[in-house]
Amino acid sequence: MASILRFRKLCYVEPCSSLKFQPFETPKIENRDEGGVGSKIENLLEKKQRKNKNKKQHRGWSLPATLTGFPVPESPGTRLKAEGLTPLHPVVLVPGIVTGGLELWEGRPCAEGLFRKRLWGGGFTEIFKRPLCWLEHLSLHNETGLDPPGIRVRAVPGLVAADYFAPGYFVWAVLIENLAKIGYEGKNMHMAAYDWRLSFQNTEIRDQALTRLKSKIELMYVTNGHKKVVVVPHSMGVIYFLHFMKWVESPPPMGGGGGPSWCAKHIKAIMNIGPAFLGVPKAVSNIFSAEGKDVAYIRAMDPGVLDSEILRLQTLEHVMRASRTWDSIVSLLPKGGDAIWGNLDWSPEDGHSCDLAKKGYLQTSGDNNFNNCDENRVFQEKEPVKYGRIISFGKETSQISSPQLPRHDFKDLLHKDSATNFTSSCGEVWTEYDELSRESIRKITENKAYTAQTLFDLLRFVAPKMMQRAEAHFSHGIADNLEDPKYAHYKYWSNPLETKLPVAPDMEIYSLYGVGIPTERSYVYKMSPSDKCKSIPFRIDGSADGEEGSCLKNGVYFVDGDDSVPVLSAGLMCAKGWRGRTRFNPSGIATYIREYRHKPPASLLEGRGIESGAHVDIMGNVALIEDVLRVSAGATGVHIGGDRIYSDIMRMSERINLQL
């Protein structure tokens, strides 16, 4: 598997190169190897390694830096240790979705021999050996969102849970190593691993994950001289920890019973990396059609590769069948509705330019510690992209004015349709689309465009079991009155727009994320050409492209972000929602935005890049690592330079009417 990842890194062509966000960025797509090629490659490599095991020339592939002409840069940990930096505050790392390892504790007969072997995160050899068995064991119960009968898959514990996603593909490993260089070790550094498939409250109900995290933080606080902890969550781990903070201070049985001062006593700072505070549009396409930009690009290059009638792969259908049992995906749907993400005619990104050379991202500067938010920046887009239409059926629908759109009451149409009894003729139901009539599917396309508000009605119709189950655990609105007792329920705790931060005036909250990479914002869809059973009836229209310099490529509209999370989601809370004393931040916790301009690796010696702003690769960004190390060693946001902003997040926040 590692060899496949490395080969893809060298050879894959960037699908969004015409967008000019950066000279080159390797997209992260899942490897699909249905013909056993991956296993053959692994076998060949294993034979070659055994053959050359004792040969001197096989002890490393890289030449000494002095011979290549590329000096190996000194790691931040080594440099800061030389400056005298030592550990002060214990550090807790919180992984995000899909990056944490999962291992088998109980399984069906097809999983014989896999006890305590990794099913997720690792070599992934079981995908090639027994793919359907593998998917069955990664799926949760479709009614409860917990374990299916006879199957127990659990999070891998410890730092190894998420140091590497696959051999040679780091996630937390580089940051862990640099923390170790200044003196951190197991007694003052902890990985808060959890089963990322579950809803956040279910991680407590099934595994007591929140209770164990509370106990671990309290232990680290006491055994490290009563020093508060620095928490470093990544991606979905950001809102998981937001849920934890409300849980730990809430009374039992729903909460952890720590009391209203627990966070103020135990937490120094929360350094959120690649934060998906307000969700990500790609979660919508994942639930709706099990797609994203990478699948759309593959279809644009070879329309039949994922729909082969000969091989009958139906890869996406299998992926959808499993992923729609993971409630955590619903936590990543856009939060705040049209007020945050825009409506049919308006969005905060109006006027956004897709040429970052014009936005200043490609400028060089010897000083990174300054606020580069250019208030006089001129937007370049001639015709504003209607980003608020997260799903549009047809390219024209994504562009025309709203009065030209059809006026249908979608709720009424779906209510009438649900009243009719439809019996699927497909036999076994693979996905919930097998339970929809063709008339229902046609009505979905007739409504043409869906915003952050109306897409929830759409998803409740096409994925009713998933949405009914998951919406008991998650909410996506904006609170009118945070004093309303209903917000004491756990379904609101991971939404920063429906919950209050703890009363902890000395705490600091950081939003650390990359900018300068095209990031999915909205989609152009079409009906699938296939009318066969057990197929997904909708797909991203990979043929929909804009003009030169347009933000539309292969059916996807792009904005600025880190390849996964748009700037809007990552930065708005620290730019506006929590900035100063607000109803969401009653004690005025200090907030800081630290943006990192994406710079692709200059050579193969840099691996995935030491200045990358990509969602996962940023974990190896030397500037981000230095920020984390300095704060862990006692620095404050003021000490490391305060805000550092390159994007339009401040301008976007001014356009959003959010009651503070």
Side-chain angles (χ1 to χ4, degrees), residues 298-309:
I298 292 171
R299 279 203 168 117
M301 296 296 100
D302 187 348
V305 69
L306 294 174
D307 308 286
S308 172
E309 291 291 343

PDB file of all heavy atoms in Angstrom, residues 298-309:
ATOM      1  N   ILE A 298     -11.815  11.751 -12.153  1.00  0.00           N
ATOM      2  CA  ILE A 298     -11.619  10.437 -12.773  1.00  0.00           C
ATOM      3  C   ILE A 298     -12.686  10.195 -13.836  1.00  0.00           C
ATOM      4  O   ILE A 298     -12.393   9.709 -14.938  1.00  0.00           O
ATOM      5  CB  ILE A 298     -11.662   9.335 -11.696  1.00  0.00           C
ATOM      6  CG1 ILE A 298     -10.433   9.447 -10.788  1.00  0.00           C
ATOM      7  CG2 ILE A 298     -11.723   7.946 -12.327  1.00  0.00           C
ATOM      8  CD1 ILE A 298     -10.495   8.557  -9.566  1.00  0.00           C
ATOM      9  N   ARG A 299     -13.914  10.548 -13.532  1.00  0.00           N
ATOM     10  CA  ARG A 299     -14.992  10.354 -14.503  1.00  0.00           C
ATOM     11  C   ARG A 299     -14.802  11.251 -15.726  1.00  0.00           C
ATOM     12  O   ARG A 299     -15.148  10.878 -16.845  1.00  0.00           O
ATOM     13  CB  ARG A 299     -16.341  10.643 -13.847  1.00  0.00           C
ATOM     14  CG  ARG A 299     -16.873   9.462 -13.029  1.00  0.00           C
ATOM     15  CD  ARG A 299     -18.372   9.555 -12.891  1.00  0.00           C
ATOM     16  NE  ARG A 299     -18.918   8.326 -12.366  1.00  0.00           N
ATOM     17  CZ  ARG A 299     -19.551   8.223 -11.202  1.00  0.00           C
ATOM     18  NH1 ARG A 299     -19.693   9.290 -10.442  1.00  0.00           N
ATOM     19  NH2 ARG A 299     -20.045   7.065 -10.801  1.00  0.00           N
ATOM     20  N   ALA A 300     -14.272  12.450 -15.513  1.00  0.00           N
ATOM     21  CA  ALA A 300     -14.038  13.348 -16.648  1.00  0.00           C
ATOM     22  C   ALA A 300     -12.972  12.775 -17.576  1.00  0.00           C
ATOM     23  O   ALA A 300     -13.043  12.925 -18.797  1.00  0.00           O
ATOM     24  CB  ALA A 300     -13.621  14.732 -16.148  1.00  0.00           C
ATOM     25  N   MET A 301     -11.979  12.093 -17.006  1.00  0.00           N
ATOM     26  CA  MET A 301     -10.916  11.489 -17.801  1.00  0.00           C
ATOM     27  C   MET A 301     -11.373  10.196 -18.477  1.00  0.00           C
ATOM     28  O   MET A 301     -11.062   9.932 -19.633  1.00  0.00           O
ATOM     29  CB  MET A 301      -9.693  11.204 -16.911  1.00  0.00           C
ATOM     30  CG  MET A 301      -9.020  12.437 -16.321  1.00  0.00           C
ATOM     31  SD  MET A 301      -8.305  13.536 -17.584  1.00  0.00           S
ATOM     32  CE  MET A 301      -9.585  14.787 -17.704  1.00  0.00           C
ATOM     33  N   ASP A 302     -12.121   9.376 -17.730  1.00  0.00           N
ATOM     34  CA  ASP A 302     -12.595   8.092 -18.253  1.00  0.00           C
ATOM     35  C   ASP A 302     -13.970   7.818 -17.659  1.00  0.00           C
ATOM     36  O   ASP A 302     -14.089   7.254 -16.570  1.00  0.00           O
ATOM     37  CB  ASP A 302     -11.621   6.971 -17.883  1.00  0.00           C
ATOM     38  CG  ASP A 302     -11.986   5.644 -18.563  1.00  0.00           C
ATOM     39  OD1 ASP A 302     -13.103   5.550 -19.111  1.00  0.00           O
ATOM     40  OD2 ASP A 302     -11.165   4.718 -18.533  1.00  0.00           O
ATOM     41  N   PRO A 303     -15.042   8.226 -18.355  1.00  0.00           N
ATOM     42  CA  PRO A 303     -16.393   8.164 -17.785  1.00  0.00           C
ATOM     43  C   PRO A 303     -16.827   6.773 -17.345  1.00  0.00           C
ATOM     44  O   PRO A 303     -17.666   6.640 -16.469  1.00  0.00           O
ATOM     45  CB  PRO A 303     -17.276   8.679 -18.931  1.00  0.00           C
ATOM     46  CG  PRO A 303     -16.370   9.506 -19.772  1.00  0.00           C
ATOM     47  CD  PRO A 303     -15.027   8.845 -19.694  1.00  0.00           C
ATOM     48  N   GLY A 304     -16.272   5.708 -17.903  1.00  0.00           N
ATOM     49  CA  GLY A 304     -16.761   4.375 -17.582  1.00  0.00           C
ATOM     50  C   GLY A 304     -15.955   3.627 -16.556  1.00  0.00           C
ATOM     51  O   GLY A 304     -16.300   2.503 -16.195  1.00  0.00           O
ATOM     52  N   VAL A 305     -14.863   4.242 -16.044  1.00  0.00           N
ATOM     53  CA  VAL A 305     -13.945   3.491 -15.195  1.00  0.00           C
ATOM     54  C   VAL A 305     -14.595   3.037 -13.885  1.00  0.00           C
ATOM     55  O   VAL A 305     -14.272   1.987 -13.350  1.00  0.00           O
ATOM     56  CB  VAL A 305     -12.665   4.319 -14.915  1.00  0.00           C
ATOM     57  CG1 VAL A 305     -12.972   5.503 -14.014  1.00  0.00           C
ATOM     58  CG2 VAL A 305     -11.589   3.433 -14.295  1.00  0.00           C
ATOM     59  N   LEU A 306     -15.546   3.819 -13.357  1.00  0.00           N
ATOM     60  CA  LEU A 306     -16.196   3.453 -12.109  1.00  0.00           C
ATOM     61  C   LEU A 306     -17.546   2.775 -12.319  1.00  0.00           C
ATOM     62  O   LEU A 306     -18.246   2.471 -11.361  1.00  0.00           O
ATOM     63  CB  LEU A 306     -16.392   4.696 -11.226  1.00  0.00           C
ATOM     64  CG  LEU A 306     -15.110   5.351 -10.721  1.00  0.00           C
ATOM     65  CD1 LEU A 306     -15.427   6.646  -9.994  1.00  0.00           C
ATOM     66  CD2 LEU A 306     -14.342   4.405  -9.811  1.00  0.00           C
ATOM     67  N   ASP A 307     -17.912   2.546 -13.570  1.00  0.00           N
ATOM     68  CA  ASP A 307     -19.236   1.993 -13.870  1.00  0.00           C
ATOM     69  C   ASP A 307     -19.144   0.835 -14.845  1.00  0.00           C
ATOM     70  O   ASP A 307     -20.025   0.627 -15.667  1.00  0.00           O
ATOM     71  CB  ASP A 307     -20.133   3.090 -14.465  1.00  0.00           C
ATOM     72  CG  ASP A 307     -20.160   4.338 -13.612  1.00  0.00           C
ATOM     73  OD1 ASP A 307     -20.805   4.302 -12.567  1.00  0.00           O
ATOM     74  OD2 ASP A 307     -19.523   5.338 -14.002  1.00  0.00           O
ATOM     75  N   SER A 308     -18.072   0.076 -14.749  1.00  0.00           N
ATOM     76  CA  SER A 308     -17.842  -1.004 -15.701  1.00  0.00           C
ATOM     77  C   SER A 308     -18.914  -2.077 -15.601  1.00  0.00           C
ATOM     78  O   SER A 308     -19.164  -2.638 -14.542  1.00  0.00           O
ATOM     79  CB  SER A 308     -16.465  -1.633 -15.455  1.00  0.00           C
ATOM     80  OG  SER A 308     -16.311  -2.791 -16.236  1.00  0.00           O
ATOM     81  N   GLU A 309     -19.590  -2.354 -16.722  1.00  0.00           N
ATOM     82  CA  GLU A 309     -20.589  -3.414 -16.757  1.00  0.00           C
ATOM     83  C   GLU A 309     -19.918  -4.782 -16.775  1.00  0.00           C
ATOM     84  O   GLU A 309     -20.514  -5.783 -16.407  1.00  0.00           O
ATOM     85  CB  GLU A 309     -21.474  -3.256 -18.003  1.00  0.00           C
ATOM     86  CG  GLU A 309     -22.392  -2.033 -17.968  1.00  0.00           C
ATOM     87  CD  GLU A 309     -23.499  -2.171 -16.925  1.00  0.00           C
ATOM     88  OE1 GLU A 309     -23.750  -3.301 -16.485  1.00  0.00           O
ATOM     89  OE2 GLU A 309     -24.100  -1.159 -16.552  1.00  0.00           O
TER      90      GLU A 309
END
